[in-house]
Amino acid sequence: MSIHFDLSYANIKLSELKNRFDELSLANEKLMKKTGIGNDFLGWVDYPVQYDEREFSRIKQAAKKIQENCDALVVIGIGGSYLGAKAVISALTSPFYNEEPRVKRNAPKIYFAGQNISGKYIENLLALLEDQDVCVNVVSKSGTTTESAIAFRFFKEFLERKYGKDGAKDRIFITTDASKGALKFMATKEGYECFVIPDDIGGRYSVFTAVGLLPIAAAGIDIDAFIAGEKEGYEDYQNPNFDDNPCFQYALYRNVLYNSGKNIEILVDYDPSLEYISEWWKQLFGESDGKDGKGLFPVAVHFSTDLHSMGQMIQDGPKNHFETVLVIDEEQSEIKVLHDDADLEGLNYLAGKKIDAINEKAFKGTLLAHVDGGVPNGIIHLKKLDAFTLGKLIYFFEKACGLDGYLLGVNPFNQPGVEAYKKNMFALLHKPGYEALTTELEERL
């Protein structure tokens, strides 16, 4: 199997999981038949067999155009509008992708903007791109998301100044609502090429749509294999046999540990390629489960790096957490430790050993130490790190998240709490319509 879930170190009796299986089966039925709460955002469930093939072909054509016409692609979006693409590109390219020569990349550099409110970030990125040919992909359902809308104003002006209005038109790609919203209106008016965010797919579930696929394809990644992995996940994770369904196992593992008093899940990786998979995972579960005072708090650590900062807390701190470890079974490199005659560091006992083999022992040593310290561990084994396996892993997490939300009794497909900070920010910025709240907040500050 390309993905395997190991419960051997989770400190959970199999009977505890199987006692909840009827409840899980009901949640799965609601999810797959789209009859549960939040079912107006369940388009992602069967998207692997329902996606628009014409749109998929257009995405490939646009990606090729971007590759042929620019040195750098700037993807403008926040949350689910950028995290999926960033996660996949980071996982499947070199950590130094943007620094590599074009002949090696065979694709443009990929930069992200609109994911923060930092003048310095925008200013520095614009300066960096001044002497490069640039395309922009703006991703926003409404087109009015503050962070990305601000960034797009700067990059639209940048492109029009650099190429003229007509030249800029061919370098701007819009991913937004099919028929309404500020971006859709602008795309129609200006003649920008436009791609659709389906109405029934929320941002954090949108990586398999044009939201993720256009930047991923522009980076030269095989989106056919990526979608094929998603499709296999869709098929495999409908298996009613609990013992053969790692997605079911993971969903119940989280829920049983949550009900036993654990309130923090730590996603662990041992390869820098997976760092943004963890960031995407944090948004997926954080926005989906964190409602009505419920939900596991999702945290990510990157070992062995964070063993030198967070390791002490995980090992000897309060036991309110458990770990889920992402492991790539296939070696990523052949590089070996060198011999040194002086051996001042005392490392010659490792000479000739592969770095990946040493990393594996770090994983196993840490696993046993943390389990001995009272921290349950579940292990997600990835056979290899490629587009197919990553597509299947993302669908694995998406489905497990939907199931977990239903087991918790919350709507995993909305995010009402996100609006609270926006309301306050708009009031403090004196946005029309927020005058009463402005006065109240300024008095409090």
Side-chain angles (χ1 to χ4, degrees), residues 376-428:
N377 269 244
I379 307 164
I380 300 173
H381 285 274
L382 309 179
K383 187 175 181 180
K384 59 173 68 174
L385 189 61
D386 59 12
F388 178 88
T389 306
L390 207 54
K392 190 169 183 179
L393 176 69
I394 287 173
Y395 192 85
F396 169 95
F397 279 136
E398 288 180 345
K399 181 163 185 180
C401 185
L403 292 171
D404 189 60
Y406 283 175
L407 290 171
L408 279 174
V410 301
N411 180 353
F413 309 113
N414 65 359
Q415 54 278 343
V418 175
E419 301 307 313
Y421 94 86
K422 292 181 182 179
K423 245 178 23 174
N424 287 351
M425 179 178 70
F426 293 153
L428 292 169

Side-chain angles (χ1 to χ4, degrees), residues 53-98:
E53 293 188 17
R54 283 176 55 187
E55 176 96 339
F56 188 75
S57 178
R58 285 182 59 237
I59 289 168
K60 286 183 173 180
Q61 291 168 12
K64 185 177 180 183
K65 181 179 177 182
I66 290 167
Q67 290 171 343
E68 292 172 348
N69 291 302
C70 72
D71 303 312
L73 171 66
V74 180
V75 182
I76 298 177
I78 194 167
S81 294
Y82 95 100
L83 273 171
K86 174 74 170 173
V88 174
I89 293 168
S90 296
L92 298 179
T93 62
S94 161
F96 312 105
Y97 173 84
N98 280 350

Side-chain angles (χ1 to χ4, degrees), residues 205-387:
Y205 291 86
S206 67
V207 64
F208 294 110
T209 72
V211 171
L213 291 182
L214 181 56
I216 291 168
I221 293 166
D222 184 353
I223 59 173
D224 287 294
F226 186 58
I227 291 291
E230 177 200 21
K231 184 178 180 182
E232 184 170 284
Y234 167 77
E235 293 165 349
D236 284 1
Y237 304 142
Q238 293 187 66
N239 190 331
N241 187 344
F242 177 82
D243 294 328
D244 296 327
N245 192 326
C247 183
F248 282 3
Q249 295 165 13
Y250 176 61
L252 278 187
Y253 148 86
R254 299 182 85 248
N255 191 259
V256 167
L257 287 172
Y258 173 73
N259 287 324
S260 74
K262 306 292 185 185
N263 55 23
I264 298 172
E265 180 180 12
I266 304 172
L267 189 69
V268 180
D269 63 69
Y270 281 81
D271 192 299
S273 297
L274 295 174
E275 287 188 15
Y276 265 88
I277 292 293
S278 297
E279 293 302 307
W280 171 84
W281 171 89
K282 279 161 56 179
Q283 189 210 5
L284 178 70
F285 282 96
E287 277 196 348
S288 297
D289 286 357
K291 286 147 200 166
D292 304 329
K294 300 176 182 179
L296 284 159
F297 191 89
V299 178
V301 293
H302 314 296
F303 291 166
S304 65
T305 303
D306 288 341
L307 286 172
H308 296 260
S309 57
M310 294 295 291
Q312 176 64 40
M313 174 60 75
I314 295 169
Q315 181 77 41
D316 288 340
K319 294 300 178 282
N320 58 348
H321 54 270
F322 63 92
E323 291 174 292
T324 301
V325 188
L326 285 173
V327 175
I328 307 165
D329 291 334
E330 184 180 82
E331 290 182 342
Q332 302 297 291
S333 168
E334 294 293 318
I335 190 171
K336 297 178 181 179
V337 177
L338 300 175
H339 176 86
D340 183 86
D341 288 340
D343 195 25
L344 295 177
E345 317 95 321
L347 287 180
N348 275 354
Y349 78 100
L350 295 176
K353 292 185 184 295
K354 293 180 182 179
I355 299 291
D356 281 3
I358 298 169
N359 198 28
E360 180 191 11
K361 294 300 186 285
F363 151 59
K364 290 181 176 178
T366 304
L367 170 70
L368 295 176
H370 287 186
V371 170
D372 289 346
V375 182
N377 269 244
I379 307 164
I380 300 173
H381 285 274
L382 309 179
K383 187 175 181 180
K384 59 173 68 174
L385 189 61
D386 59 12

